[in-house]
Amino acid sequence: MTEPLHENAMGLPSAYPARKLAADTAWNLLGQILPLGTALVLIPGMIRELGLPRFGVLSLAWMLIGYFGVFDLGLGRALTQAISARLGRGEECRIPDVIGTCMGLMLALGVLGAAVLAVLSPWVVGRWISVPPGMRKETLAGVLILAASIPFVIQAAGYSGILASHGRFRLLNAIRIPAGMLSYVAPWTVSRFDPGLPCVLGALAASRIVSWGAHAVACNATVRGGALRFGIRRDIAKEVLGVGGWMTVSNVVGPFLVSVDRFLVGSMVSLAAVAYYAVPYDVVTRMWMLPGALSMTLFPAFGVLSVSDRDRAAALHDRGVKAVSLFLFPAAALFVAFAPEGLGAWLGSDFSSHASIVLRILAAGVFVNSLAHTPFALIQGAGRADLVARLHISELVPYLLALVSLIRWRGIEGAALAWIARVWVDGVLMFWLSRRILPSIRMAGTRFSLLSGIALAGFALAAVPSSMPGKIGLLAASFGFFYPAVWFSVLTPEERVAVRGRLRFFRAR
């Protein structure tokens, strides 16, 4: 039965019913899908208008906009955690000081980041991206314009964190979706009149400033006039910089762990092998959008409930893990079952013969890794970002050794095996850490191993070579194996009753 929704003085739900959880996750998912769809539609036209060299610079600018968050030292996410914890303790009166301190620090860091990029821009243009001599002047001007937008990008991340901490995901994505689409629409529109990089990158910078303004207005209304305060308090600065610093470590080490396999494949095998490995990777990791949207929803909830209702936080954690497994298994199983046929139809039989096994291994690995998104959100939401950062640092050397050894043994398939082994170990340790924080959690390391083992057995069944009718039958058999096994070994009796009730409701409708 759905729990009633109660709100505290700041408007944040103190109970998180399944309906609100699903709605917030759906909004966060739309916030990722719609801008991506806009990019797919507009990029071909931009390539025609700009030409490949200028479009290459624009692509790097989009990447830089995404990485500007490094300059905030994790303060955007730390701000969400700090506000959520105070809401959970009933300390709403202290929230304006937290906001003022974080936004003041983020303004200073944004100005510093802009100055660093401006100073380094001649080196960036002349050496890092090797711009042709005839384009260097306009590229330098465009980079300087882009540098001026850094303070606004970082401030917008802070305002986004404020809205997330108050559970305002519908409002947040009502801003984020058009802002993300505008990042592609604005350069596309300008390129049709003036393909010069100062105008195109200026349009991109202007779109981020518009996004900053929309976030600022929404936050000022949400916290009743307190979002535009700036004033650094030393005790709060020490707290958020400590949490944000550990989050920054994870934000630096985590992407390295994710991308180092492709660099090693390129250096140890060949550049062609990088394509055979990177294309399947880029395709299957789109499945991360679902657990990413859910963890974005759960992160502030864990910040509140880890200090106000630890049993509810544990139940929310378990519900999140099970939801990801139940909804993501069909997508991963489809990738595993039809990898050769899908790659063959898309990129040709030769590409498929080299990359289909890699696609299957990585699809299984993405499923396993997706289960760990929820404990990751719990650990950071509870203010223990240091545990995640130390875990990532401890994985570096063993993973690199395993990666090098397996690439020498099996090439790109060995790289995929090393990757899935790392994410499984990472998942076991992540669930173990979450159990240390909340002992009442049921979905701990043992149940994660059981759930991932059931899924891997289902994937193995779906991957058995067969004709097309046989593949469809084996895929159905993998579903018939996975869901009953989860039903009896993972779901609680109460959850089975709830699922039966929901199924009866749909049949009646």
Side-chain angles (χ1 to χ4, degrees), residues 35-109:
L36 177 62
T38 303
L40 293 175
V41 171
L42 297 183
I43 281 176
M46 280 189 275
I47 292 175
R48 287 194 301 270
E49 297 292 341
L50 297 175
L52 284 175
R54 286 188 175 87
F55 180 77
V57 175
L58 177 59
S59 299
L60 291 174
W62 281 323
M63 184 191 71
L64 280 174
I65 287 286
Y67 279 104
F68 281 165
V70 173
F71 287 111
D72 79 348
L73 297 180
L75 285 174
R77 199 163 169 88
L79 175 58
T80 303
Q81 192 278 327
I83 295 175
S84 299
R86 283 160 176 79
L87 287 171
R89 293 194 293 263
E91 299 174 355
E92 288 90 346
C93 60
R94 299 190 61 192
I95 289 176
D97 289 333
V98 174
I99 293 174
T101 297
C102 285
M103 298 307 293
L105 289 170
M106 295 176 82
L107 176 61
L109 290 169

Side-chain angles (χ1 to χ4, degrees), residues 260-278 354 358 403-416:
V260 68
D261 47 1
R262 278 156 285 181
F263 287 102
L264 287 178
V265 166
S267 63
M268 296 177 64
V269 186
S270 68
L271 290 177
V274 175
Y276 292 136
Y277 186 85
H354 287 87
V358 171
L403 190 59
V404 170
S405 300
L406 289 173
I407 289 175
R408 286 176 177 168
W409 175 53
R410 293 286 297 178
I412 58 174
E413 294 170 11

Side-chain angles (χ1 to χ4, degrees), residues 272-338:
V274 175
Y276 292 136
Y277 186 85
V279 169
Y281 184 92
D282 290 338
V283 170
V284 298
T285 52
R286 298 300 177 186
M287 289 192 292
W288 276 335
M289 287 195 293
L290 173 61
L294 178 61
S295 64
M296 192 184 305
T297 305
L298 294 177
F299 176 68
F302 287 139
V304 173
L305 297 176
S306 63
V307 296
S308 64
D309 193 338
R310 294 170 65 82
D311 288 339
R312 190 181 298 279
L316 193 62
H317 169 276
D318 294 346
R319 187 190 304 171
V321 174
K322 294 170 187 176
V324 169
S325 68
L326 295 175
F327 283 104
L328 205 62
F329 179 82
L334 284 170
F335 276 119
V336 171
F338 299 108

Side-chain angles (χ1 to χ4, degrees), residues 151-356:
F152 298 97
V153 173
I154 293 179
Q155 288 276 300
Y159 291 134
S160 177
I162 295 170
L163 291 174
S165 68
H166 286 76
R168 303 296 302 276
F169 290 104
R170 182 172 181 174
L171 175 60
L172 176 59
N173 284 286
I175 299 170
R176 180 179 288 164
I177 291 171
M181 297 170 70
L182 189 61
S183 294
Y184 298 99
V185 173
W188 174 80
T189 303
V190 169
S191 69
R192 298 175 67 84
F193 298 96
D194 187 342
L197 287 173
C199 291
V200 172
L201 296 186
L204 176 59
S207 73
R208 307 319 300 165
I209 295 173
V210 169
S211 172
W212 164 83
H215 279 89
V217 171
C219 283
N220 205 45
T222 298
V223 297
R224 302 188 182 118
L228 303 182
R229 304 175 65 180
F230 298 95
I232 298 175
R233 283 188 46 172
R234 183 175 299 179
D235 56 333
I236 297 176
K238 183 178 179 181
E239 173 193 345
V240 295
L241 285 172
V243 174
W246 284 114
M247 289 181 177
T248 300
V249 172
S250 292
N251 291 341
V252 172
V253 178
F256 175 80
L257 289 170
V258 166
S259 60
V260 68
D261 47 1
R262 278 156 285 181
F263 287 102
L264 287 178
V265 166
S267 63
M268 296 177 64
V269 186
S270 68
L271 290 177
V274 175
Y276 292 136
Y277 186 85
V279 169
Y281 184 92
D282 290 338
V283 170
V284 298
T285 52
R286 298 300 177 186
M287 289 192 292
W288 276 335
M289 287 195 293
L290 173 61
L294 178 61
S295 64
M296 192 184 305
T297 305
L298 294 177
F299 176 68
F302 287 139
V304 173
L305 297 176
S306 63
V307 296
S308 64
D309 193 338
R310 294 170 65 82
D311 288 339
R312 190 181 298 279
L316 193 62
H317 169 276
D318 294 346
R319 187 190 304 171
V321 174
K322 294 170 187 176
V324 169
S325 68
L326 295 175
F327 283 104
L328 205 62
F329 179 82
L334 284 170
F335 276 119
V336 171
F338 299 108
E341 292 79 8
L343 285 174
W346 183 31
L347 298 171
S349 58
D350 180 66
F351 195 99
S352 175
S353 65
H354 287 87
S356 59

Side-chain angles (χ1 to χ4, degrees), residues 417-440:
L417 289 171
W419 191 83
I420 191 175
R422 183 191 71 80
V423 297
W424 185 82
V425 172
D426 179 86
V428 170
L429 295 175
M430 202 76 74
F431 276 87
W432 176 72
L433 290 173
S434 66
R435 183 70 174 271
R436 284 187 58 191
I437 294 173
L438 293 178
S440 56

